[in-house]
PDB file of all heavy atoms in Angstrom:
ATOM      1  N   ILE A  42      35.046  50.930   1.277  1.00 95.00           N
ATOM      2  CA  ILE A  42      35.269  51.653   2.530  1.00 95.00           C
ATOM      3  C   ILE A  42      36.521  52.509   2.388  1.00 95.00           C
ATOM      4  O   ILE A  42      37.558  52.042   1.929  1.00 95.00           O
ATOM      5  CB  ILE A  42      35.441  50.680   3.718  1.00 95.00           C
ATOM      6  CG1 ILE A  42      34.237  49.745   3.847  1.00 95.00           C
ATOM      7  CG2 ILE A  42      35.709  51.433   5.020  1.00 95.00           C
ATOM      8  CD1 ILE A  42      32.938  50.423   4.172  1.00 95.00           C
ATOM      9  N   GLY A  43      36.436  53.752   2.789  1.00 95.00           N
ATOM     10  CA  GLY A  43      37.585  54.653   2.677  1.00 95.00           C
ATOM     11  C   GLY A  43      37.879  54.978   1.226  1.00 95.00           C
ATOM     12  O   GLY A  43      37.007  54.926   0.371  1.00 95.00           O
ATOM     13  N   THR A  44      39.116  55.306   0.958  1.00 95.00           N
ATOM     14  CA  THR A  44      39.510  55.620  -0.410  1.00 95.00           C
ATOM     15  C   THR A  44      40.066  54.366  -1.073  1.00 95.00           C
ATOM     16  O   THR A  44      40.031  53.279  -0.506  1.00 95.00           O
ATOM     17  CB  THR A  44      40.511  56.791  -0.450  1.00 95.00           C
ATOM     18  OG1 THR A  44      40.664  57.227  -1.809  1.00 95.00           O
ATOM     19  CG2 THR A  44      41.855  56.432   0.141  1.00 95.00           C
ATOM     20  N   ASN A  45      40.552  54.522  -2.287  1.00 94.00           N
ATOM     21  CA  ASN A  45      41.094  53.384  -3.023  1.00 94.00           C
ATOM     22  C   ASN A  45      42.194  53.879  -3.958  1.00 94.00           C
ATOM     23  O   ASN A  45      42.343  55.085  -4.164  1.00 94.00           O
ATOM     24  CB  ASN A  45      39.973  52.675  -3.790  1.00 94.00           C
ATOM     25  CG  ASN A  45      39.266  53.609  -4.754  1.00 94.00           C
ATOM     26  OD1 ASN A  45      39.847  54.061  -5.733  1.00 94.00           O
ATOM     27  ND2 ASN A  45      38.011  53.916  -4.467  1.00 94.00           N
ATOM     28  N   PRO A  46      42.970  52.991  -4.528  1.00 90.00           N
ATOM     29  CA  PRO A  46      44.070  53.421  -5.388  1.00 90.00           C
ATOM     30  C   PRO A  46      43.628  54.278  -6.571  1.00 90.00           C
ATOM     31  O   PRO A  46      44.336  55.205  -6.970  1.00 90.00           O
ATOM     32  CB  PRO A  46      44.685  52.101  -5.874  1.00 90.00           C
ATOM     33  CG  PRO A  46      44.329  51.112  -4.825  1.00 90.00           C
ATOM     34  CD  PRO A  46      42.984  51.533  -4.319  1.00 90.00           C
ATOM     35  N   ASP A  47      42.450  54.004  -7.107  1.00 91.00           N
ATOM     36  CA  ASP A  47      41.964  54.766  -8.258  1.00 91.00           C
ATOM     37  C   ASP A  47      41.708  56.225  -7.894  1.00 91.00           C
ATOM     38  O   ASP A  47      42.106  57.137  -8.608  1.00 91.00           O
ATOM     39  CB  ASP A  47      40.686  54.118  -8.803  1.00 91.00           C
ATOM     40  CG  ASP A  47      40.884  52.635  -9.047  1.00 91.00           C
ATOM     41  OD1 ASP A  47      41.449  52.277 -10.077  1.00 91.00           O
ATOM     42  OD2 ASP A  47      40.505  51.842  -8.153  1.00 91.00           O
ATOM     43  N   GLU A  48      41.042  56.428  -6.749  1.00 94.00           N
ATOM     44  CA  GLU A  48      40.808  57.792  -6.274  1.00 94.00           C
ATOM     45  C   GLU A  48      42.110  58.491  -5.908  1.00 94.00           C
ATOM     46  O   GLU A  48      42.273  59.683  -6.143  1.00 94.00           O
ATOM     47  CB  GLU A  48      39.893  57.783  -5.041  1.00 94.00           C
ATOM     48  CG  GLU A  48      38.459  57.462  -5.329  1.00 94.00           C
ATOM     49  CD  GLU A  48      37.598  57.433  -4.079  1.00 94.00           C
ATOM     50  OE1 GLU A  48      38.144  57.359  -2.948  1.00 94.00           O
ATOM     51  OE2 GLU A  48      36.379  57.470  -4.229  1.00 94.00           O
ATOM     52  N   MET A  49      43.026  57.737  -5.311  1.00 94.00           N
ATOM     53  CA  MET A  49      44.281  58.354  -4.891  1.00 94.00           C
ATOM     54  C   MET A  49      45.132  58.783  -6.081  1.00 94.00           C
ATOM     55  O   MET A  49      45.758  59.843  -6.045  1.00 94.00           O
ATOM     56  CB  MET A  49      45.044  57.411  -3.973  1.00 94.00           C
ATOM     57  CG  MET A  49      44.312  57.234  -2.642  1.00 94.00           C
ATOM     58  SD  MET A  49      45.236  56.264  -1.482  1.00 94.00           S
ATOM     59  CE  MET A  49      46.643  57.312  -1.237  1.00 94.00           C
ATOM     60  N   LEU A  50      45.149  57.982  -7.148  1.00 94.00           N
ATOM     61  CA  LEU A  50      45.874  58.378  -8.355  1.00 94.00           C
ATOM     62  C   LEU A  50      45.228  59.618  -8.964  1.00 94.00           C
ATOM     63  O   LEU A  50      45.923  60.564  -9.347  1.00 94.00           O
ATOM     64  CB  LEU A  50      45.915  57.240  -9.371  1.00 94.00           C
ATOM     65  CG  LEU A  50      46.678  57.544 -10.657  1.00 94.00           C
ATOM     66  CD1 LEU A  50      48.148  57.848 -10.369  1.00 94.00           C
ATOM     67  CD2 LEU A  50      46.550  56.382 -11.633  1.00 94.00           C
ATOM     68  N   LEU A  51      43.908  59.636  -9.002  1.00 96.00           N
ATOM     69  CA  LEU A  51      43.189  60.802  -9.504  1.00 96.00           C
ATOM     70  C   LEU A  51      43.480  62.025  -8.634  1.00 96.00           C
ATOM     71  O   LEU A  51      43.724  63.121  -9.146  1.00 96.00           O
ATOM     72  CB  LEU A  51      41.682  60.520  -9.545  1.00 96.00           C
ATOM     73  CG  LEU A  51      40.789  61.632 -10.059  1.00 96.00           C
ATOM     74  CD1 LEU A  51      41.136  61.998 -11.501  1.00 96.00           C
ATOM     75  CD2 LEU A  51      39.317  61.222  -9.947  1.00 96.00           C
ATOM     76  N   GLY A  52      43.498  61.848  -7.330  1.00 95.00           N
ATOM     77  CA  GLY A  52      43.798  62.949  -6.415  1.00 95.00           C
ATOM     78  C   GLY A  52      45.205  63.482  -6.605  1.00 95.00           C
ATOM     79  O   GLY A  52      45.429  64.696  -6.591  1.00 95.00           O
ATOM     80  N   ALA A  53      46.164  62.589  -6.784  1.00 95.00           N
ATOM     81  CA  ALA A  53      47.551  63.016  -7.012  1.00 95.00           C
ATOM     82  C   ALA A  53      47.656  63.805  -8.312  1.00 95.00           C
ATOM     83  O   ALA A  53      48.274  64.877  -8.366  1.00 95.00           O
ATOM     84  CB  ALA A  53      48.482  61.809  -7.045  1.00 95.00           C
ATOM     85  N   ALA A  54      47.035  63.295  -9.355  1.00 96.00           N
ATOM     86  CA  ALA A  54      47.093  63.984 -10.655  1.00 96.00           C
ATOM     87  C   ALA A  54      46.383  65.334 -10.586  1.00 96.00           C
ATOM     88  O   ALA A  54      46.886  66.340 -11.112  1.00 96.00           O
ATOM     89  CB  ALA A  54      46.479  63.099 -11.745  1.00 96.00           C
ATOM     90  N   ALA A  55      45.225  65.384  -9.941  1.00 97.00           N
ATOM     91  CA  ALA A  55      44.448  66.623  -9.884  1.00 97.00           C
ATOM     92  C   ALA A  55      45.136  67.695  -9.045  1.00 97.00           C
ATOM     93  O   ALA A  55      45.205  68.860  -9.452  1.00 97.00           O
ATOM     94  CB  ALA A  55      43.049  66.341  -9.323  1.00 97.00           C
ATOM     95  N   THR A  56      45.655  67.319  -7.876  1.00 96.00           N
ATOM     96  CA  THR A  56      46.293  68.330  -7.040  1.00 96.00           C
ATOM     97  C   THR A  56      47.582  68.837  -7.671  1.00 96.00           C
ATOM     98  O   THR A  56      47.868  70.031  -7.623  1.00 96.00           O
ATOM     99  CB  THR A  56      46.560  67.814  -5.615  1.00 96.00           C
ATOM    100  OG1 THR A  56      47.297  66.595  -5.678  1.00 96.00           O
ATOM    101  CG2 THR A  56      45.268  67.583  -4.861  1.00 96.00           C
ATOM    102  N   CYS A  57      48.338  67.949  -8.288  1.00 96.00           N
ATOM    103  CA  CYS A  57      49.563  68.376  -8.975  1.00 96.00           C
ATOM    104  C   CYS A  57      49.220  69.346 -10.101  1.00 96.00           C
ATOM    105  O   CYS A  57      49.853  70.390 -10.252  1.00 96.00           O
ATOM    106  CB  CYS A  57      50.308  67.159  -9.518  1.00 96.00           C
ATOM    107  SG  CYS A  57      51.891  67.555 -10.296  1.00 96.00           S
ATOM    108  N   TYR A  58      48.202  69.005 -10.887  1.00 96.00           N
ATOM    109  CA  TYR A  58      47.815  69.848 -12.020  1.00 96.00           C
ATOM    110  C   TYR A  58      47.329  71.221 -11.560  1.00 96.00           C
ATOM    111  O   TYR A  58      47.776  72.249 -12.077  1.00 96.00           O
ATOM    112  CB  TYR A  58      46.726  69.158 -12.855  1.00 96.00           C
ATOM    113  CG  TYR A  58      46.214  70.048 -13.957  1.00 96.00           C
ATOM    114  CD1 TYR A  58      46.916  70.188 -15.149  1.00 96.00           C
ATOM    115  CD2 TYR A  58      45.051  70.788 -13.794  1.00 96.00           C
ATOM    116  CE1 TYR A  58      46.466  71.035 -16.152  1.00 96.00           C
ATOM    117  CE2 TYR A  58      44.600  71.635 -14.785  1.00 96.00           C
ATOM    118  CZ  TYR A  58      45.303  71.757 -15.965  1.00 96.00           C
ATOM    119  OH  TYR A  58      44.861  72.610 -16.956  1.00 96.00           O
ATOM    120  N   ILE A  59      46.425  71.276 -10.587  1.00 97.00           N
ATOM    121  CA  ILE A  59      45.842  72.564 -10.201  1.00 97.00           C
ATOM    122  C   ILE A  59      46.886  73.468  -9.540  1.00 97.00           C
ATOM    123  O   ILE A  59      46.890  74.683  -9.753  1.00 97.00           O
ATOM    124  CB  ILE A  59      44.567  72.400  -9.332  1.00 97.00           C
ATOM    125  CG1 ILE A  59      43.717  73.670  -9.396  1.00 97.00           C
ATOM    126  CG2 ILE A  59      44.897  71.985  -7.914  1.00 97.00           C
ATOM    127  CD1 ILE A  59      42.302  73.500  -8.863  1.00 97.00           C
ATOM    128  N   ILE A  60      47.814  72.880  -8.781  1.00 97.00           N
ATOM    129  CA  ILE A  60      48.881  73.677  -8.176  1.00 97.00           C
ATOM    130  C   ILE A  60      49.820  74.207  -9.255  1.00 97.00           C
ATOM    131  O   ILE A  60      50.224  75.373  -9.238  1.00 97.00           O
ATOM    132  CB  ILE A  60      49.649  72.844  -7.124  1.00 97.00           C
ATOM    133  CG1 ILE A  60      48.752  72.569  -5.913  1.00 97.00           C
ATOM    134  CG2 ILE A  60      50.941  73.537  -6.708  1.00 97.00           C
ATOM    135  CD1 ILE A  60      49.298  71.502  -4.964  1.00 97.00           C
ATOM    136  N   THR A  61      50.159  73.354 -10.224  1.00 97.00           N
ATOM    137  CA  THR A  61      51.029  73.765 -11.336  1.00 97.00           C
ATOM    138  C   THR A  61      50.357  74.871 -12.139  1.00 97.00           C
ATOM    139  O   THR A  61      50.994  75.876 -12.484  1.00 97.00           O
ATOM    140  CB  THR A  61      51.358  72.561 -12.238  1.00 97.00           C
ATOM    141  OG1 THR A  61      52.005  71.555 -11.449  1.00 97.00           O
ATOM    142  CG2 THR A  61      52.260  72.963 -13.390  1.00 97.00           C
ATOM    143  N   LEU A  62      49.071  74.715 -12.448  1.00 97.00           N
ATOM    144  CA  LEU A  62      48.350  75.729 -13.209  1.00 97.00           C
ATOM    145  C   LEU A  62      48.286  77.052 -12.447  1.00 97.00           C
ATOM    146  O   LEU A  62      48.532  78.121 -13.021  1.00 97.00           O
ATOM    147  CB  LEU A  62      46.942  75.241 -13.548  1.00 97.00           C
ATOM    148  CG  LEU A  62      46.049  76.209 -14.326  1.00 97.00           C
ATOM    149  CD1 LEU A  62      46.703  76.653 -15.635  1.00 97.00           C
ATOM    150  CD2 LEU A  62      44.683  75.579 -14.583  1.00 97.00           C
ATOM    151  N   ALA A  63      47.997  77.001 -11.155  1.00 97.00           N
ATOM    152  CA  ALA A  63      47.926  78.230 -10.355  1.00 97.00           C
ATOM    153  C   ALA A  63      49.264  78.951 -10.351  1.00 97.00           C
ATOM    154  O   ALA A  63      49.316  80.187 -10.490  1.00 97.00           O
ATOM    155  CB  ALA A  63      47.493  77.902  -8.926  1.00 97.00           C
ATOM    156  N   ALA A  64      50.353  78.206 -10.219  1.00 97.00           N
ATOM    157  CA  ALA A  64      51.687  78.815 -10.229  1.00 97.00           C
ATOM    158  C   ALA A  64      51.995  79.451 -11.577  1.00 97.00           C
ATOM    159  O   ALA A  64      52.528  80.560 -11.650  1.00 97.00           O
ATOM    160  CB  ALA A  64      52.744  77.766  -9.881  1.00 97.00           C
ATOM    161  N   MET A  65      51.641  78.775 -12.652  1.00 97.00           N
ATOM    162  CA  MET A  65      51.892  79.305 -13.998  1.00 97.00           C
ATOM    163  C   MET A  65      51.063  80.562 -14.273  1.00 97.00           C
ATOM    164  O   MET A  65      51.542  81.508 -14.882  1.00 97.00           O
ATOM    165  CB  MET A  65      51.601  78.241 -15.054  1.00 97.00           C
ATOM    166  CG  MET A  65      52.603  77.139 -15.083  1.00 97.00           C
ATOM    167  SD  MET A  65      52.170  75.926 -16.371  1.00 97.00           S
ATOM    168  CE  MET A  65      53.732  75.079 -16.525  1.00 97.00           C
ATOM    169  N   LEU A  66      49.826  80.562 -13.817  1.00 97.00           N
ATOM    170  CA  LEU A  66      48.978  81.746 -13.988  1.00 97.00           C
ATOM    171  C   LEU A  66      49.598  82.934 -13.257  1.00 97.00           C
ATOM    172  O   LEU A  66      49.690  84.033 -13.813  1.00 97.00           O
ATOM    173  CB  LEU A  66      47.558  81.478 -13.474  1.00 97.00           C
ATOM    174  CG  LEU A  66      46.712  80.495 -14.284  1.00 97.00           C
ATOM    175  CD1 LEU A  66      45.441  80.126 -13.518  1.00 97.00           C
ATOM    176  CD2 LEU A  66      46.380  81.034 -15.659  1.00 97.00           C
ATOM    177  N   ALA A  67      50.025  82.719 -12.032  1.00 96.00           N
ATOM    178  CA  ALA A  67      50.617  83.800 -11.236  1.00 96.00           C
ATOM    179  C   ALA A  67      51.891  84.328 -11.891  1.00 96.00           C
ATOM    180  O   ALA A  67      52.086  85.545 -11.997  1.00 96.00           O
ATOM    181  CB  ALA A  67      50.900  83.320  -9.821  1.00 96.00           C
ATOM    182  N   ARG A  68      52.761  83.408 -12.353  1.00 96.00           N
ATOM    183  CA  ARG A  68      54.013  83.835 -13.000  1.00 96.00           C
ATOM    184  C   ARG A  68      53.770  84.606 -14.289  1.00 96.00           C
ATOM    185  O   ARG A  68      54.591  85.414 -14.701  1.00 96.00           O
ATOM    186  CB  ARG A  68      54.908  82.622 -13.296  1.00 96.00           C
ATOM    187  CG  ARG A  68      55.691  82.147 -12.087  1.00 96.00           C
ATOM    188  CD  ARG A  68      56.818  81.210 -12.468  1.00 96.00           C
ATOM    189  NE  ARG A  68      56.388  80.038 -13.212  1.00 96.00           N
ATOM    190  CZ  ARG A  68      56.049  78.868 -12.688  1.00 96.00           C
ATOM    191  NH1 ARG A  68      56.059  78.706 -11.380  1.00 96.00           N
ATOM    192  NH2 ARG A  68      55.698  77.860 -13.452  1.00 96.00           N
TER     193      ARG A  68
END
Side-chain angles (χ1 to χ4, degrees):
I42 304 296
T44 191
N45 58 67
D47 309 280
E48 287 179 344
M49 292 185 64
L50 181 62
L51 181 61
T56 54
C57 184
Y58 175 81
I59 201 166
I60 291 167
T61 301
L62 179 56
M65 289 180 163
L66 291 169
R68 279 195 303 269

